[in-house]
Amino acid sequence: MKKILVPLAALALCLCLAGCGHFVSIMPGTEADGSLAPVDGPPEAADAFHERALMEFLGWTEFASSYYKDTPVALSIYTPERGYNSPVFDRASIIAACDALRSMRVTGKQPAGQGGGAQTVYTFTLADGSKLSVTFAGGDLSMTDGDYTVSGGEGLGQISFPGYHEGWDIFDLYYDDAIRAFADGFDQGQMLSVGRRFNGGATLSSRDPAVIGQVFSLLANARVARVEENPDQNIDLTQTTDYVFTLADNSYYTFSFTGPCLTVTVNDDYGPVYYWLDGADELSSVSILPESTVPQFAGGPITGLREDIGQAYAAVYGQLPGISVEGVFVDYNIQGQHGYLTLDGGTAASFVQQVTAITADAATTVPPEGSDVITVFVTLSDQSGPIIVFNGDTVQQMVGINHQCDYTAMANLRASIQQLAQDERNITEMVSGGTN
């Protein structure tokens, strides 16, 4: 009975209040008669802009809270006017850019047809290879739906990028304190030699202070002209040249070029950067030759032909403490068949032993026209090593001076090269599935 009386009493109360004109709506924002209550001013437009932090506007809130711990590996700048990305890899610059962006606020949207201007794109590369980019146009934030006015972030424009700003030398590109110290201390006279190496072959070195200074000066005075955006299209990636500076303590520093571009890899996740340089064109024309004079060859093993061949012999037989044979590259043309061999480990050591055991006559001779040509590049662990040229059955002491070699030894050398080449082809065929 109580369950029936309670609802009936509530209904009677409502009817009474309505009859007396004292109805009170239980809906907020309504008048006593149920109509909408007035509001102060016009209602806000649905598309009205709310000022907010730039990183929130971009959807980078997670990045904003993590970049101190998970700092991007690189920051690059791009402008259509320059047409290339130029990266920096130091944490200080990257953090400064992140701090500048975090301090910025998006204050409004530019009316249609306004805004625009010269574009600048900043791109962060994260450790997993993903990228985050933000574009500014004439000082505004540029988005696909238009431009937005921003405030703050003055520190972003103070970051320096190679190729875009002055003051960079090539040693700065490595972000390596040891390389910077090498460059700054060059004049202290600690250099032992400078060498040039093509395509990973042997290093032809010189201890002549004038040559060392010339190569260093060309590198030190070169400046970044631009960064190559499409290296696979615009440079020959198969052509490499290394310049190796060896110090008196046998430490060494290598500066590598791919085609005409200085090639620097600071971070493996970002990969190599190819820099076109102004002022380094003369590097390839520097004559780097061994400084030792050519002795009168009395005949016998070719280790007495030149000092660098003798060093390779001593290294392969353990007579030079701490120095060993690192590898051998052979460029050969035997009976009209041209090819290459790259040897390492025990195979390289055995090959050097065979080559340095060849004997030659004291008398000089002229190799016949169209003879087989074998060029052996030996690389030792200190980045030195001889280049030995065989033309027919002769060995070259220096350009224009050839000595007759033992015929049997030369026949054995050609046979060894042909066998090694055949072994290499067999391995290639097995890997490619060409043989069972």
Side-chain angles (χ1 to χ4, degrees):
M1 178 65 71
K2 289 181 179 180
K3 292 181 180 179
I4 298 174
L5 291 176
V6 172
L8 289 175
L11 178 61
L13 178 60
C14 289
L15 291 174
C16 178
L17 290 173
C20 296
H22 295 295
F23 172 73
V24 178
S25 172
I26 61 173
M27 298 296 292
T30 60
E31 294 288 6
D33 61 359
S35 63
L36 292 174
V39 296
D40 295 331
E44 186 175 36
D47 61 350
F49 183 82
H50 298 280
E51 179 179 333
R52 71 203 82 164
L54 179 137
M55 283 199 173
E56 177 188 348
F57 184 79
L58 295 174
W60 291 8
T61 51
E62 182 178 350
F63 174 71
S65 65
S66 65
Y67 66 80
Y68 272 97
K69 178 181 178 182
D70 300 319
T71 305
V73 298
L75 165 66
S76 64
I77 190 174
Y78 174 89
T79 64
E81 178 187 6
R82 299 289 183 97
Y84 59 87
N85 279 284
S86 179
V88 293
F89 297 92
D90 63 303
R91 187 174 186 272
S93 293
I94 296 170
I95 291 294
C98 293
D99 287 345
L101 292 176
R102 192 175 66 173
S103 73
M104 296 177 73
R105 297 189 64 81
V106 183
T107 56
K109 185 172 184 181
Q110 290 281 24
Q114 296 188 23
Q119 285 195 335
T120 304
V121 183
Y122 294 92
T123 300
F124 296 95
T125 300
L126 308 184
D128 62 3
S130 61
K131 298 178 186 295
L132 292 173
S133 294
V134 58
T135 302
F136 296 95
D140 294 331
L141 174 67
S142 181
M143 303 289 287
T144 55
D145 63 341
D147 293 343
Y148 293 80
T149 56
V150 294
S151 64
E154 290 78 9
L156 194 62
Q158 299 174 8
I159 299 171
S160 177
F161 296 84
Y164 280 77
H165 302 94
E166 298 295 331
W168 289 78
D169 65 28
I170 73 158
F171 308 111
D172 296 323
L173 304 175
Y174 292 85
Y175 295 91
D176 187 320
D177 291 340
I179 289 180
R180 184 72 262 171
F182 155 77
D184 294 341
F186 178 81
D187 292 333
Q188 297 177 8
Q190 299 300 310
M191 296 301 106
L192 181 65
S193 68
V194 65
R196 183 192 286 127
R197 177 173 60 228
F198 294 108
N199 294 334
T203 303
L204 188 63
S205 300
S206 174
R207 297 191 180 192
D208 185 342
V211 175
I212 299 171
Q214 185 181 9
V215 174
F216 178 82
S217 178
L218 287 169
L219 290 172
N221 292 322
R223 290 296 179 267
V224 176
R226 59 187 175 90
V227 180
E228 177 54 57
E229 284 286 287
N230 300 293
D232 55 333
Q233 300 177 23
N234 297 325
I235 61 177
D236 187 349
L237 298 178
T238 67
Q239 298 298 313
T240 61
T241 306
D242 301 324
Y243 291 90
V244 183
F245 291 89
T246 302
L247 279 63
D249 62 1
N250 283 325
S251 62
Y252 58 90
Y253 296 90
T254 302
F255 302 93
S256 300
F257 287 77
T258 304
C261 295
L262 179 71
T263 307
V264 180
T265 301
V266 175
N267 186 282
D268 291 335
D269 295 313
Y270 191 91
V273 183
Y274 301 91
Y275 296 97
W276 290 88
L277 302 179
D278 284 334
D281 294 344
E282 295 180 17
L283 270 173
S284 59
S285 62
V286 176
S287 179
I288 300 179
L289 296 172
E291 76 292 343
S292 58
T293 59
V294 178
Q296 180 67 38
F297 181 56
I302 65 171
T303 52
L305 194 69
R306 293 200 316 263
E307 181 182 349
D308 55 352
I309 301 176
Q311 288 179 331
Y313 173 88
V316 78
Y317 283 102
Q319 298 173 7
L320 294 178
I323 299 178
S324 59
V325 174
E326 191 169 274
V328 174
F329 179 77
V330 183
D331 180 345
Y332 65 88
N333 193 328
I334 299 175
Q335 298 177 352
Q337 296 295 317
H338 183 221
Y340 305 95
L341 287 174
T342 301
L343 312 176
D344 55 19
T347 305
S350 296
F351 190 83
V352 172
Q353 289 175 344
Q354 180 180 3
V355 169
T356 54
I358 294 173
T359 60
D361 295 336
T364 60
T365 186
V366 178
E369 291 281 340
S371 299
D372 297 340
V373 178
I374 301 169
T375 306
V376 178
F377 302 81
V378 180
T379 301
L380 304 181
S381 57
D382 67 348
Q383 302 305 300
S384 67
I387 301 175
I388 310 171
V389 180
F390 298 97
N391 193 337
D393 289 322
T394 72
V395 63
Q396 186 181 94
Q397 185 176 30
M398 62 179 295
V399 176
I401 301 178
N402 295 76
H403 295 264
Q404 183 70 52
C405 293
D406 178 79
Y407 292 102
T408 302
M410 288 305 301
N412 291 338
L413 178 63
R414 285 190 285 269
S416 294
I417 291 171
Q418 290 171 320
Q419 184 61 55
L420 288 167
Q422 183 59 52
D423 292 344
E424 192 173 87
R425 285 192 292 270
N426 291 340
I427 293 173
T428 302
E429 289 175 358
M430 291 177 65
V431 171
S432 64
T435 61
N436 293 324

